[in-house]
Amino acid sequence: MSVSKYSNIELSDVRGVLIDLDDTLYVYQVNHDHALKEVHKELFSDMDYSEFSQLYRNARNTVTQRLMPQGACRSRLFAFQTVFETLGTQQPFVRAYVADALYWDSFIANMALAPAADAFLARCEALGLPVCVVSDMTAHVQIRKIEKLGLTGRITHLVTSEEVGAEKPDALMFQAGMRKLGIHRGEDAIMIGDSLDKDIIGAQAINIKAYQVSLTQEF
């Protein structure tokens, strides 16, 4: 399947739009890198960044494997708690709470809406099409992201894996979004996302037309 540009997405005969958030409405990696470096600078400066980032990555993998497919498997709080436990830090849950807050404050402050996504959502708004974000993540974090991107007036609904108890490509995620949009047939909705396996194949399995987008190709 070829990657689509936002400007080429067809909106005729569509009653509602399902859309991913991370790496679909904004670029994830640059914000993650910025946030992790802030955590390292403030809380882990006694070790090399490469050592810290690998420790963090291992912790994220451990949490993901243990808690999949619950939304909690994406928790940075649990990842940082695992890091502090690995290091033998006293009261690791308290330190993890501080690290989690610093990570997300830094991440979200650095975010910016992708221009192509902005233009697409403006098209949806002009056509009166409701938009539901469908995301594998904890709800409170995604709400903060939506607010920072200035989309609270343009996103009609939000579905997260934390709420549903499953992750994309599980049909439950897309069906939950359709219910919130008041859509009963897959043919009346479209799904937009960056992941072929999660967003595109998952949506197509229940007859939702899907468009894979890449923000790096929009510029």
Side-chain angles (χ1 to χ4, degrees), residues 13-14 16 18 169 171 174-175 178 183-191 199-211:
D13 300 322
V14 173
L18 305 175
F174 306 102
Q175 290 165 344
M178 288 173 59
I183 294 174
H184 305 290
R185 302 189 316 151
E187 295 85 349
D188 292 331
I190 59 171
M191 174 67 198
D199 299 315
I200 309 309
I201 294 175
Q204 289 176 336
I206 56 171
N207 299 319
I208 298 173
K209 187 172 184 178
Y211 295 88

Coordinates of all heavy atoms in Angstrom, one line a residue, residues 13-14 16 18 169 171 174-175 178 183-191 199-211:
D13 N -18.7 11.2 0.7 CA -19.4 10.0 1.2 C -18.8 9.5 2.5 O -18.9 8.3 2.8 CB -19.3 8.9 0.2 CG -19.9 9.3 -1.2 OD1 -21.0 9.9 -1.1 OD2 -19.4 8.9 -2.2
V14 N -18.2 10.4 3.3 CA -17.7 10.0 4.6 C -18.6 10.7 5.7 O -18.9 11.9 5.6 CB -16.3 10.4 4.8 CG1 -15.8 10.2 6.2 CG2 -15.4 9.7 3.8
G16 N -17.8 10.3 9.1 CA -16.9 10.5 10.3 C -15.5 10.1 10.1 O -15.3 9.2 9.3
L18 N -11.9 8.7 11.8 CA -11.1 8.1 12.9 C -9.6 8.5 12.6 O -9.2 8.3 11.4 CB -11.2 6.6 13.0 CG -12.7 6.1 13.1 CD1 -12.7 4.6 13.1 CD2 -13.3 6.6 14.4
P169 N -4.2 -3.4 16.4 CA -5.2 -3.4 15.4 C -6.5 -4.1 15.9 O -7.4 -4.4 15.0 CB -4.6 -4.1 14.3 CG -3.7 -5.2 14.9 CD -3.2 -4.5 16.1
A171 N -10.2 -4.9 16.6 CA -11.4 -4.2 16.1 C -12.1 -3.4 17.1 O -12.8 -2.4 16.8 CB -12.3 -5.3 15.5
F174 N -11.5 0.4 16.9 CA -12.1 1.1 15.8 C -13.6 1.2 16.0 O -14.3 2.2 15.8 CB -11.8 0.5 14.5 CG -10.3 0.4 14.3 CD1 -9.7 -0.8 14.4 CD2 -9.5 1.5 13.9 CE1 -8.3 -0.9 14.2 CE2 -8.2 1.4 13.7 CZ -7.5 0.2 13.9
Q175 N -14.2 0.1 16.5 CA -15.6 0.0 16.8 C -16.0 1.0 17.9 O -17.1 1.6 17.8 CB -16.0 -1.4 17.2 CG -15.9 -2.4 16.0 CD -15.9 -3.9 16.5 OE1 -15.7 -4.2 17.7 NE2 -16.2 -4.8 15.5
M178 N -16.2 4.4 16.2 CA -17.4 4.5 15.4 C -18.7 4.7 16.2 O -19.5 5.5 15.9 CB -17.6 3.2 14.5 CG -16.5 3.1 13.4 SD -16.6 1.5 12.6 CE -18.3 1.5 12.0
I183 N -21.7 6.1 14.1 CA -21.5 5.4 12.8 C -21.7 3.9 13.0 O -21.0 3.3 13.9 CB -20.2 5.7 12.1 CG1 -20.2 7.2 11.7 CG2 -20.0 4.9 10.9 CD1 -18.8 7.7 11.2
H184 N -22.5 3.2 12.2 CA -22.7 1.8 12.4 C -22.1 0.9 11.3 O -22.0 -0.3 11.5 CB -24.3 1.6 12.4 CG -25.0 2.4 13.4 ND1 -24.9 2.2 14.8 CD2 -25.8 3.5 13.3 CE1 -25.6 3.0 15.4 NE2 -26.2 3.8 14.5
R185 N -21.7 1.5 10.2 CA -21.1 0.8 9.1 C -19.7 1.3 8.9 O -19.4 2.5 8.8 CB -21.9 0.9 7.8 CG -23.3 0.4 7.9 CD -23.9 0.4 6.5 NE -23.5 1.6 5.7 CZ -23.4 1.6 4.4 NH1 -23.6 0.5 3.7 NH2 -23.1 2.8 3.7
G186 N -18.7 0.3 8.7 CA -17.4 0.7 8.4 C -17.2 1.5 7.2 O -16.4 2.4 7.1
E187 N -18.1 1.3 6.2 CA -18.0 2.0 5.0 C -18.3 3.5 5.1 O -18.0 4.3 4.2 CB -19.0 1.4 4.0 CG -18.7 -0.1 3.6 CD -19.3 -1.1 4.5 OE1 -19.7 -0.7 5.6 OE2 -19.2 -2.3 4.2
D188 N -18.9 3.9 6.2 CA -19.2 5.3 6.4 C -18.1 6.1 7.1 O -18.2 7.3 7.3 CB -20.5 5.4 7.2 CG -21.7 4.9 6.4 OD1 -21.7 5.0 5.2 OD2 -22.7 4.5 7.0
A189 N -17.0 5.4 7.4 CA -15.9 6.1 8.1 C -14.6 5.9 7.4 O -14.5 5.0 6.5 CB -15.8 5.5 9.5
I190 N -13.6 6.7 7.7 CA -12.2 6.5 7.3 C -11.3 6.5 8.5 O -11.7 7.1 9.5 CB -11.8 7.5 6.2 CG1 -11.8 8.9 6.8 CG2 -12.6 7.4 4.9 CD1 -11.2 10.0 5.9
M191 N -10.2 5.8 8.4 CA -9.2 5.8 9.4 C -7.9 6.3 8.8 O -7.5 6.0 7.7 CB -9.0 4.4 9.9 CG -7.8 4.2 10.9 SD -8.1 5.1 12.5 CE -6.5 5.2 13.2
D199 N -2.9 0.7 12.3 CA -3.9 1.7 11.9 C -4.6 1.2 10.6 O -5.9 1.2 10.6 CB -3.4 3.1 11.7 CG -2.8 3.7 12.9 OD1 -3.4 3.6 14.0 OD2 -1.7 4.2 12.9
I200 N -3.9 0.8 9.6 CA -4.4 0.5 8.3 C -5.0 -0.9 8.2 O -6.2 -1.0 7.9 CB -3.3 0.7 7.2 CG1 -2.6 2.1 7.4 CG2 -4.0 0.6 5.9 CD1 -3.5 3.3 7.5
I201 N -4.2 -1.9 8.5 CA -4.7 -3.2 8.4 C -5.9 -3.5 9.4 O -6.9 -4.1 9.1 CB -3.6 -4.2 8.6 CG1 -2.6 -4.1 7.4 CG2 -4.1 -5.7 8.7 CD1 -1.4 -5.0 7.5
G202 N -5.7 -2.9 10.6 CA -6.7 -3.1 11.6 C -8.1 -2.5 11.2 O -9.1 -3.1 11.4
A203 N -8.1 -1.3 10.6 CA -9.3 -0.7 10.2 C -9.9 -1.4 9.0 O -11.1 -1.6 8.9 CB -9.0 0.8 9.8
Q204 N -9.0 -1.8 8.0 CA -9.5 -2.5 6.8 C -10.2 -3.8 7.2 O -11.1 -4.2 6.4 CB -8.4 -2.7 5.9 CG -7.9 -1.4 5.2 CD -6.7 -1.6 4.3 OE1 -5.9 -2.6 4.5 NE2 -6.5 -0.7 3.4
A205 N -9.8 -4.4 8.3 CA -10.4 -5.7 8.7 C -11.9 -5.6 9.0 O -12.6 -6.6 8.9 CB -9.6 -6.3 9.8
I206 N -12.3 -4.4 9.3 CA -13.8 -4.2 9.6 C -14.4 -3.2 8.5 O -15.3 -2.5 8.8 CB -14.1 -3.8 11.0 CG1 -13.3 -2.5 11.4 CG2 -13.7 -4.9 12.0 CD1 -13.7 -1.9 12.7
N207 N -13.8 -3.2 7.3 CA -14.4 -2.5 6.2 C -14.3 -1.0 6.3 O -15.1 -0.3 5.7 CB -15.8 -2.9 5.9 CG -15.9 -4.4 5.6 OD1 -15.1 -4.9 4.9 ND2 -16.9 -5.1 6.1
I208 N -13.3 -0.5 7.1 CA -13.1 1.0 7.1 C -12.0 1.3 6.1 O -10.9 0.7 6.1 CB -12.7 1.4 8.5 CG1 -13.8 1.1 9.5 CG2 -12.3 2.9 8.5 CD1 -13.4 1.4 11.0
K209 N -12.3 2.2 5.2 CA -11.2 2.7 4.3 C -10.2 3.4 5.1 O -10.5 4.3 5.9 CB -11.8 3.6 3.2 CG -10.8 3.9 2.1 CD -11.5 4.7 1.0 CE -10.5 5.0 -0.1 NZ -11.1 5.6 -1.3
A210 N -8.9 3.0 4.8 CA -7.8 3.6 5.7 C -6.7 4.2 4.8 O -6.4 3.7 3.7 CB -7.2 2.5 6.5
Y211 N -6.1 5.3 5.3 CA -5.1 6.0 4.7 C -3.8 6.0 5.6 O -3.9 6.5 6.7 CB -5.5 7.4 4.4 CG -6.6 7.6 3.4 CD1 -7.9 7.6 3.8 CD2 -6.4 7.8 2.0 CE1 -9.0 7.7 2.9 CE2 -7.4 7.9 1.1 CZ -8.7 7.9 1.6 OH -9.8 8.1 0.7

